[in-house]
Amino acid sequence: MTASGNGPTLVLAVIVGVLVATGVTLLLERNITRILLGVILFSNGVNVLILLSGPAEEAPLAGTTPADQMSDPLPQAMILTAIVITLGLSAFLLAVAYRSWLLTSHDEVRDDPEDRQIVGLADRDAPPPGDPGGEGPGDDAEQVDRSPNAPDPSHPVGAEPSDPRHVAEEQTARPRRAAGDDPPDDGGTVGPGGRR
């Protein structure tokens, strides 16, 4: 305790630092059991930190302690709430670890296939190591070269420029009319004399 006997000590501050640092280190692991231990240690460190925010006085019970000697009950209430939340999260992580152990006989978190694809696409689209400015294969540093994987703006998405089916579809999509041809009569227009 400090000289007055009411403040936090250096020992409690060191305990908070060790608990939080160890908890964060364990949270970054890939093993669900270690993640669970990291959550527990981190939450206990935060609980001690919250406890340090209030003065260390007598118990805050009405009628047993004078009002000027009571400790602040708010940090203690917050710690009780945090304990309940940590208990629920720990139960959830235990259930996830147990289910993972039943399905795969280990509780290690594996990479998501979509994450691997995104990393592969980012590596493929990165500029080559010999091109520090990212200009691409051109010599002009001011010119922005189009990526080799970017779609060609002169062709619609999904159509290859040399695809003969695409060219045939464009040519047969709208039949051409001669200059003197009238549009076909659908029967709904009124002819000369008001007759259909």
Side-chain angles (χ1 to χ4, degrees), residues 36 39-40 43-44 47 79-95:
L36 172 65
V39 166
I40 293 171
S43 65
N44 285 335
N47 289 344
I79 290 171
L80 285 175
T81 305
I83 288 171
V84 172
I85 292 171
T86 304
L87 181 65
L89 184 60
S90 300
F92 173 73
L93 286 174
L94 276 173

Side-chain angles (χ1 to χ4, degrees), residues 184-191 195-196:
D185 188 15
D186 61 353
T189 58
V190 177
R195 296 185 183 178
R196 292 188 184 196

Side-chain angles (χ1 to χ4, degrees), residues 96-151:
V96 169
Y98 178 69
R99 182 71 175 162
S100 175
W101 181 263
L102 285 180
L103 294 176
T104 61
S105 71
H106 61 80
D107 63 344
E108 185 174 332
V109 179
R110 289 183 284 177
D111 284 335
D112 195 21
E114 287 81 14
D115 289 341
R116 290 183 190 159
Q117 288 177 353
I118 291 171
V119 169
L121 290 174
D123 289 341
R124 187 186 71 191
D125 292 340
D131 189 16
E135 292 89 16
D139 293 334
D140 187 8
E142 297 297 323
Q143 179 182 356
V144 178
D145 297 324
R146 191 170 64 83
S147 171
N149 300 327

Side-chain angles (χ1 to χ4, degrees), residues 14-27 38 41-47 49:
V14 169
I15 289 173
V16 168
V18 168
L19 286 174
V20 170
T22 309
V24 169
T25 304
L26 288 174
L27 278 172
L41 289 176
F42 182 81
S43 65
N44 285 335
V46 171
N47 289 344
L49 181 65

